[in-house]
Amino acid sequence: MRTISLAILWLCLGLSLDALCLHGRRTETAYGEGTEASIRGEKLLKRARRGWMWNQFFLQEEYTGSDYQYIGKLQSDQDQGNGLVKYVLSGEGAGTIFVIDENNGDLQATRRLDREEKGFYILRATVVNKRTGLKLEPETEFTVKLHDINDNEPHFSKELYTGSVPERSDIGTSVIQVTATDADDSMYGSSARLVYSISQGHPYFSVDPTTGVIRTALGPGDMDRELREHYQVVIEAKDMAGQRGGLTGTTAVNITLTDVNDNPPRFTQSIYQFRVPESAKSGTSVGRIVATDRDIGKNAEMFFTIVSGDGMDMFDIATDKDTQDGVISVGKPLDFEKKPSYTVEIQVQNTQVDPRFMSAGSKDMATVRIGVEDVDEPPLFYKASYLMEVKEDAAVGVAVGSVSAMDPDGARSMVKYSIDRRTDMDRLFNVHPGNGSVFLLRTLDREESAWHNISVTAMEFNNPRQSSHVPVYIQLLDINDNAPTFATIYETFVCERTKAGQRIQTVSAVDADEPSTGHKFFFSLAPEGTHRSNFTVRDNGDNTAGILTRRASYSRLHQSVYLVPVVITDGDYPMQSSTGTLTVRVCTCDREGNMELCNAEALSSSPGLSTGALIAILLCAIILLMIVVLFTALKRQRKQEPLIISKEDVRDNVVSYNDEGGGEEDTQAFDIGALRHPDAAAALEESAKQRRDIIPTDILLYPPHRRPAPATSGLIMPPVSMASQDNGNVCEFINQRVLENDCNPTAPPYDSLATYAYEGAGSVAESLSSLGSASSEGEQDYHYLSDWGPRFRKLADLYGADDSDFS
């Protein structure tokens, strides 16, 4: 596209007339250069000629007019003014923000624009034939830039700043830097040039107008944290380089003076007085002294020291980390009788000293007077512990040693001694209550216990509650009172065919004693074994001995076991000795001397049952035992149910046999004769009725005897038959058994009730039992049953009828 003319509204841009002329000249010059370049291009490249154009337009932001804002005019060489050319605009905001007159190429903005939102727009323009719609020239890209105006005030990055600076800082010490920004264009005019100033905070602080750095404005003497710690400063930022009409923004800055160690600690009083009892233990607090420091934190930390006085070695002082107080405590035991009061000088100073503000001598002093109070103290032993020695064979009553204590008070009360029996449960020792002498109550044995630790108590006679204790360690000194013995049970073997002087065993010994020079043992053959001895003993000189053979052959069949007595003697005084027996068994050996066969009693490792076989045999025996127990249990379960079903109430226990029997002729089931002659059967049954698990100690109160029938007068009894006489015997037999069970406590069972159903001899109907029917062949009169009432009348008719009545 060839640009023929470019009309721009320079008045809207605020440019001078000179600038307009200058741009006009540049346009013409550019056009000429473009024309020549186009001609050269046509010759060389043979392409269409194009006119050079401006590729940048300017537009002022924040336009407030009601009409469209005119930007400029575009015109093509192809536009001959005949109305056949159409201008087309595309790119950012084309058709909405920017519009172009398609007939004459005028470019306008349709609305108000803000540079801070978007500073420039890139557009493209071309011309097309209205009739054919074909492009007459390629698109040309140009830019529309917005000129800035001062429409934004400065803004700080924070609404509130916080800063700090040490107190007593020099003038000009940097505190904090504040920063403000302006959204206007810093490349155009002074809209974005900011100037800082302080509107609140004089005369303590100042601000650099260009950088925004806040600095101290007063000297060290005026910036004291102890006088004022917090400050608030208001900073103002103004654009247009601070000129009139510029916009401003403000922010607040809170500044704190940090502490430095510029104040030494000071005691709240110059003299302190305390009192402490003489019984106070080491470390007991005596009192507190207070010092203050106007500084804070680590700068206020302090420490105390005792610098002089007669109590420097008796008392200590430390600093309480929480309160920074000086705590005085007892360092050594006090004694009112020796010294009743002390005076010390205490110094306080900071742990961290700042040499800029304080010298090393910035400290304070105070005087402390401490009085010691007298108390009744317990007896005091001369030693903290006692060590005593005694021989283990010392006799009862022998003194082991002595302890000594005294009352430290001025009264010097008498002291008596005793042993704390909790430390001497076996009561082996005792102490003399007056002089503290420790002596034996029982004999001692070092081999049982080599040391005995007891505690001796000393208490005042007048005040037994005042007592003290001291440990006493008693060591038992060893004497040679134990004979040496074999170190173990020795048992060895000898081959039937061997050679004389062959070593078959090496033995050693042990001794419970502990001689100072060490053990020394001597071995020899006992005198009773020297005569016709088959073996000899050779002492090796190193507390061991070898057992040697004296013959070349032994017979296992002749003698299978030899007992070799060996005498063992120690080398201490008094000399102790004992005899140990070595068992030697004769065995058959191979050529190499290895045992092959010995007697059964000689072989602990002889062939036999293995452990697995023994376990298998044991399991089989257990299984057989379980089978026997199970069989016995099953056999018991097959027994008949007990006759007595219910055992809850003895009165309801009725023995029921449920056996009808075979009648009077069945003598196998029931012996009727026993009931007819109870005297004859009594002797046979007497042994059977006694309990086997209880030996009877009580005799029957009433021996068995025949009682006469009770006499009756005024009654007409029926004739007594043999059956009636037998019934009387039965009655007497039953009564006798009832009496025996009632009077004999050993009669079984205790929880059963034996019921004997017998109507009695005085019954008119006599006995209804059939037991007497076998001995009665005569006719019986049953008509008397009619007199018993309607219930028995039918029975009387049946029994009283003749046999002919039923035929």
Side-chain angles (χ1 to χ4, degrees), residues 601-726:
E601 64 274 10
L603 293 177
S604 59
S605 60
S606 60
L609 294 178
S610 63
T611 304
L614 293 176
I615 295 175
I617 293 174
L618 181 60
L619 290 176
C620 293
I622 293 175
I623 294 174
L624 290 175
L625 181 60
M626 293 177 61
I627 293 174
V628 171
V629 172
L630 181 61
F631 178 76
T632 305
L634 294 176
K635 187 175 181 180
R636 289 181 179 179
Q637 291 182 357
R638 293 177 181 177
K639 290 184 178 181
Q640 190 176 0
E641 295 274 342
L643 297 177
I644 301 177
I645 304 302
S646 175
K647 297 184 180 180
E648 297 179 356
D649 191 348
V650 69
R651 295 170 296 180
D652 295 336
N653 292 341
V654 178
V655 179
S656 177
Y657 294 96
N658 296 325
D659 191 355
E660 297 181 359
E664 290 84 349
E665 301 299 331
D666 187 2
T667 58
Q668 295 181 357
F670 299 97
D671 188 1
I672 303 302
L675 295 179
R676 295 174 180 173
H677 304 284
D679 294 336
L684 297 176
E685 297 178 0
E686 187 65 25
S687 59
K689 69 183 183 67
Q690 297 296 333
R691 294 183 60 178
R692 297 181 179 180
D693 57 338
I694 298 179
I695 299 176
T697 57
D698 299 335
I699 61 173
L700 295 178
L701 299 179
Y702 304 97
H705 62 276
R706 185 180 300 273
R707 295 183 181 181
T712 57
S713 62
L715 294 176
I716 300 175
M717 299 298 294
V720 179
S721 62
M722 179 59 78
S724 298
Q725 184 177 1
D726 293 338

Side-chain angles (χ1 to χ4, degrees), residues 254-307:
N254 290 334
I255 301 176
T256 301
L257 297 184
T258 59
D259 184 59
V260 296
N261 194 4
D262 57 343
N263 294 281
R266 292 286 182 262
F267 282 109
T268 57
Q269 59 190 74
S270 59
I271 298 177
Y272 294 87
Q273 292 185 353
F274 302 103
R275 299 192 67 82
V276 59
E278 64 172 338
S279 60
K281 304 296 182 181
S282 298
T284 302
S285 176
V286 177
R288 290 173 174 258
I289 57 177
V290 181
T292 59
D293 193 329
R294 297 179 63 189
D295 297 324
I296 59 175
K298 292 185 177 181
N299 296 324
E301 293 180 357
M302 59 191 78
F303 68 95
F304 301 84
T305 54
I306 300 176
V307 295

Side-chain angles (χ1 to χ4, degrees), residues 12 120 209 296 480 539:
C12 296
F120 62 92
I296 59 175
N480 192 24
D539 195 329

Side-chain angles (χ1 to χ4, degrees), residues 34-51:
T35 303
E36 292 178 0
S38 299
I39 295 174
R40 290 194 299 270
E42 183 178 0
K43 292 180 179 180
L44 298 176
L45 303 177
K46 298 185 181 296
R47 61 183 183 130
R49 294 177 57 194
R50 296 188 60 191

Side-chain angles (χ1 to χ4, degrees), residues 5-47:
S5 66
L6 176 63
I8 301 175
L9 189 61
W10 296 105
L11 295 177
C12 296
L13 300 176
L15 300 178
S16 62
L17 182 61
D18 295 338
L20 180 61
C21 296
L22 178 61
H23 280 282
R25 289 195 297 270
R26 288 179 180 177
T27 303
E28 294 174 358
T29 303
Y31 176 78
E33 295 174 354
T35 303
E36 292 178 0
S38 299
I39 295 174
R40 290 194 299 270
E42 183 178 0
K43 292 180 179 180
L44 298 176
L45 303 177
K46 298 185 181 296
R47 61 183 183 130

